């Protein structure tokens, strides 16, 4: 930055100005989070060219997330503000959060000019490396998180079915929850099912309860960890169960299983 003259500004003035700009940017993002398009566009001097495409994609995903009761938000991190004359450039990392998951959208610049005691957004852009794809970075991040949501719901449903089938001693439904290459306790799937059949005959009833389910995604695999309470006509136990799942033919299946008594 080359200037003919440097103007020193008191620290208190800079802090007050930063606080005001941050309040504006926070309100701008909250309008987006709430799904209020009209309120969102009021922060711009003129409607962005991609606003229609952005809101079509955002409304579809946001409605599904809200219906599922999952907490979500678009947020800003690592904010840097630079002022030139009366205008301000805000540079920050933009990210999306959905429940425990977070996806970085990219590094974004927003250009602001004063407007009747507040600000208006003149324009915005992502850093060049974020624009290599034809997809809008924020929509790409939202799509990734929505994929996580769908996968986690499918896995949660599968684990519920697995526990219900086990409790009902329905060996056909129970087996359907496993991948063909399943292996646990030195048993392949066929040996595992024979073992479960013997237990089903031994016990008059079985009840399996799941509590504190936690899911973590690692590439194309998901690890499910939870507190398992097992009760039967002759046995009771409580322990930590860990199921490893992978996608098989478009559906999630259990391919490894471990349990530790507590």
């Amino acid at each position: 930055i080359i200037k003919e003259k440097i103007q020193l500004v008191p620290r208190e003035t800079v802090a007050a100005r930063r606080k005001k700009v941050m309040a504006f940017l926070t309100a701008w993002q909250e309008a987006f989070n709430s799904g209020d398009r009209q309120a969102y566009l009021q922060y711009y001097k003129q409607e962005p060219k991609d606003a229609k495409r952005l809101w079509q994609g955002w409304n579809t995903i946001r409605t599904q997330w809200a219906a599922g009761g999952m907490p979500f938000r678009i947020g800003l991190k690592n904010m840097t503000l630079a002022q030139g004359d009366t205008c301000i450039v805000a540079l920050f990392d933009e990210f999306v959060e959905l429940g425990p998951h977070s996806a970085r959208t990219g590094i974004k610049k927003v250009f602001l000019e004063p407007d009747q005691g507040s600000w208006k957004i003149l324009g915005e852009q992502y850093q060049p490396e974020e624009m290599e794809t034809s997809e809008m970075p924020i929509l790409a991040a939202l799509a990734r998180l929505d994929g996580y949501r769908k996968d986690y719901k499918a896995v949660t449903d599968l684990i519920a079915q697995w526990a219900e089938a086990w409790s009902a001693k329905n060996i056909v439904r129970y087996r359907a929850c496993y991948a063909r290459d399943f292996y646990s306790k030195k048993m392949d799937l066929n040996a595992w099912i024979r073992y479960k059949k013997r237990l089903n005959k031994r016990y008059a009833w079985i009840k399996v309860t799941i509590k504190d389910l936690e899911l973590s995604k690692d590439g194309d695999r998901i690890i499910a960890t939870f507190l398992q309470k097992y009760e039967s006509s002759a046995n009771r136990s409580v322990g930590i169960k860990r199921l490893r799942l992978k996608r098989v033919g478009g559906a999630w299946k259990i391919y490894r299983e471990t349990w530790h008594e507590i």
Side-chain angles (χ1 to χ4, degrees):
I1 300 173
I2 301 175
K3 294 283 287 183
E4 293 289 340
K5 191 174 178 182
I6 293 176
Q7 179 183 3
L8 299 179
V9 180
R11 181 176 296 178
E12 296 77 12
T13 302
V14 173
R17 191 173 297 156
R18 178 181 177 86
K19 184 177 180 181
K20 193 171 183 180
V21 173
M22 289 300 297
F24 173 86
L25 292 172
T26 299
W28 166 64
Q29 284 303 98
E30 287 306 314
F32 187 84
N33 290 335
S34 69
D36 189 337
R37 183 183 179 191
Q38 292 307 313
Y40 178 76
L41 293 177
Q42 301 242 344
Y43 291 91
Y44 290 84
K45 187 163 187 178
Q46 61 183 19
E47 182 172 326
K49 64 178 183 178
D50 290 328
K52 185 175 180 180
R53 184 158 68 102
L54 172 63
W55 279 86
Q56 284 176 341
W58 173 226
N59 276 337
T60 300
I61 292 174
R62 183 187 168 281
T63 301
Q64 293 173 344
W65 290 1
M70 303 185 73
F72 59 86
R73 75 186 187 100
I74 312 296
L76 318 176
K77 286 182 179 177
N78 305 320
M79 178 69 66
T80 298
L81 301 176
Q83 180 164 357
D85 296 324
T86 59
C87 294
I88 285 180
V89 178
L91 179 69
F92 52 84
D93 291 323
E94 186 178 60
F95 64 96
V96 187
E97 287 184 350
L98 175 64
H101 314 297
S102 178
R104 182 173 172 274
T105 300
I107 301 172
K108 193 172 187 178
K109 283 182 183 177
V110 174
F111 303 89
L112 310 172
E113 72 169 4
D115 181 77
Q116 299 180 7
S118 184
W119 303 92
K120 288 287 186 184
I121 298 173
L122 287 173
E124 58 190 357
Q125 66 182 41
Y126 288 94
Q127 293 290 72
E129 64 269 19
E130 310 294 347
M131 297 302 292
E132 293 176 358
T133 172
S134 60
E135 180 66 273
M136 294 178 68
I138 191 168
L139 290 181
L142 289 169
R144 284 198 304 275
L145 281 186
D146 198 47
Y148 292 158
R149 176 190 67 84
K150 292 174 181 175
D151 286 341
Y152 277 52
K153 184 179 185 306
V155 168
T156 300
D157 291 345
L158 174 72
I159 293 173
Q161 293 169 16
W162 166 83
E164 290 171 6
W166 188 2
S167 298
K169 299 198 291 184
N170 187 327
I171 203 69
V172 175
R173 286 183 57 210
Y174 179 78
R175 181 181 184 129
C177 297
Y178 289 89
R180 290 181 178 179
D181 60 351
F182 171 80
Y183 192 82
S184 182
K185 295 183 178 180
K186 299 182 180 180
M187 290 181 277
D188 63 11
L189 181 57
N190 289 331
W192 183 259
I193 294 301
R194 287 195 297 269
Y195 165 65
K196 291 296 181 178
K197 282 181 177 179
R198 291 196 298 269
L199 293 179
N200 285 350
K201 290 179 180 180
R202 185 183 306 171
Y203 303 137
W205 57 269
I206 294 173
K207 182 180 179 181
V208 179
T209 306
I210 292 173
K211 190 176 180 182
D212 301 330
L213 174 63
E214 292 184 1
L215 303 176
S216 61
K217 201 168 193 292
D218 181 14
D220 60 349
R221 300 287 194 268
I222 288 180
I223 300 174
T225 306
F226 51 88
L227 183 71
Q228 175 184 290
K229 184 178 180 182
Y230 175 89
E231 299 174 276
S232 73
S233 55
N235 188 21
R236 292 188 180 189
S237 62
V238 177
I240 300 299
K241 174 63 64 76
R242 180 169 285 114
L243 301 176
R244 296 180 182 272
L245 303 100
K246 64 180 180 178
R247 203 188 301 274
V248 179
W252 288 95
K253 301 290 183 181
I254 302 165
Y255 71 97
R256 294 291 185 273
E257 179 173 336
T258 58
W259 179 81
H260 302 286
E261 188 171 9
I262 59 173

